[in-house]
Amino acid sequence: MMKNLFSKMMVVGMALAMASYSFADQVSSDGVRNMTDPRDGKTYKTVKIGDQVWMAENLNVLNVKTAGSKCYDNDPTNCKKYGRLYTWEAAMHACPDGWHLPSVEEFQTLLETVELRVDQIVTQKKLNAEPLKRGEANFYNHLRDASWNDGFGAFGFSALPAGYYNSYDKTFENLGGYAYFWSSTENGEDLADRLAIAGTREHAGLGNVDERDGLSVRCLKDSN
């Protein structure tokens, strides 16, 4: 009798667990946590996506090593909302201890993790004859903050369209249109790889730009 009761309790427990299991739970099983940068006391949200732990906000630290960074339009309120825009050299020294500027391979891992999971969600919805929301099949939209046009924010990465600083023209561009993140990977003379996120796959992805440009920084937690 006790064995049957235990079996019934297990079944009920599993059913409740499955009922409460959500997309966000699968991506970030330990939830969103915070980290405090000891250099200036700023607190950042973090999120686990696959086996990686990312800052869920753009870095906004200014010190001697990041003196080349800027606020969009030189407006401090943009730094507060979008973080600072760093040259590649400044970005290489911007992350706090225990964190680092991700390589292009680590960005690729992030994209593959998100794309695989989104493909699974989309496939299951089609099998269940459930309607897809606009842009739901485009995995880049799931990295966008929910406040950004067509963003889902499902993974907690919460990319915002911070734009960038064009060092050649000395202009600030694409605020509200794109998010650009430096990688630690150089790609040619005075060029480094970056990740861009926009509304469609055709206008976002990995590429390279001038190391003197100003882009956002997302730090990745060092692995054990």
Side-chain angles (χ1 to χ4, degrees):
M1 182 175 178
M2 288 296 293
K3 184 176 180 180
N4 290 337
L5 179 60
F6 178 77
S7 298
K8 290 180 180 179
M9 291 175 65
M10 286 289 290
V11 171
V12 171
M14 290 175 64
L16 288 173
M18 291 178 67
S20 62
Y21 197 60
S22 68
F23 185 18
D25 292 331
Q26 295 176 46
V27 176
S28 179
S29 60
D30 59 351
V32 176
R33 297 178 179 176
N34 295 332
M35 67 83 63
T36 300
D37 190 334
R39 298 169 297 180
D40 59 7
K42 286 190 178 69
T43 298
Y44 298 88
K45 294 178 181 179
T46 70
V47 64
K48 186 176 182 182
I49 301 176
D51 294 326
Q52 298 174 316
V53 177
W54 293 86
M55 282 188 178
E57 301 174 72
N58 292 348
L59 193 67
N60 184 24
V61 65
L62 177 62
N63 56 28
V64 174
K65 293 182 178 180
T66 62
S69 61
K70 305 175 184 293
C71 297
Y72 194 100
D73 277 343
N74 297 311
D75 184 347
T77 60
N78 284 326
C79 270
K80 185 175 181 180
K81 180 175 181 179
Y82 297 107
R84 300 187 71 83
L85 301 174
Y86 299 85
T87 64
W88 182 78
E89 182 64 29
M92 288 292 289
H93 302 285
C95 294
D97 289 344
W99 298 76
H100 65 275
L101 193 67
S103 67
V104 70
E105 290 82 11
E106 287 171 321
F107 270 134
Q108 189 64 50
T109 296
L110 168 69
L111 297 181
E112 289 173 356
T113 299
V114 173
E115 184 172 23
L116 176 62
R117 182 61 190 131
V118 170
D119 285 347
Q120 291 172 341
I121 293 294
V122 170
T123 298
Q124 189 60 53
K125 279 198 167 187
K126 288 180 178 178
L127 289 173
N128 295 340
E130 297 179 43
L132 293 176
K133 298 177 182 177
R134 186 178 68 174
E136 189 173 5
N138 183 343
F139 74 92
Y140 278 98
N141 285 337
H142 293 267
L143 289 172
R144 294 152 61 92
D145 188 81
S147 66
W148 185 7
N149 184 35
D150 286 339
F152 288 88
F155 288 82
F157 190 79
S158 302
L160 288 173
Y164 82 108
Y165 176 72
N166 183 324
S167 60
Y168 182 81
D169 293 328
K170 294 181 171 52
T171 56
F172 294 93
E173 301 177 14
N174 288 340
L175 182 70
Y178 278 82
Y180 302 95
F181 304 102
W182 279 123
S183 83
S184 62
T185 305
E186 287 192 282
N187 191 342
E189 185 176 358
D190 297 326
L191 297 175
D193 286 330
R194 59 91 180 109
L195 168 67
I197 296 176
T200 62
R201 185 180 302 190
E202 290 75 19
H203 296 92
L206 298 168
N208 58 74
V209 293
D210 194 312
E211 293 177 356
R212 293 165 294 188
D213 288 351
L215 275 61
S216 300
V217 165
R218 283 295 180 95
C219 300
L220 178 63
K221 190 172 184 180
D222 296 348
S223 62
N224 296 328

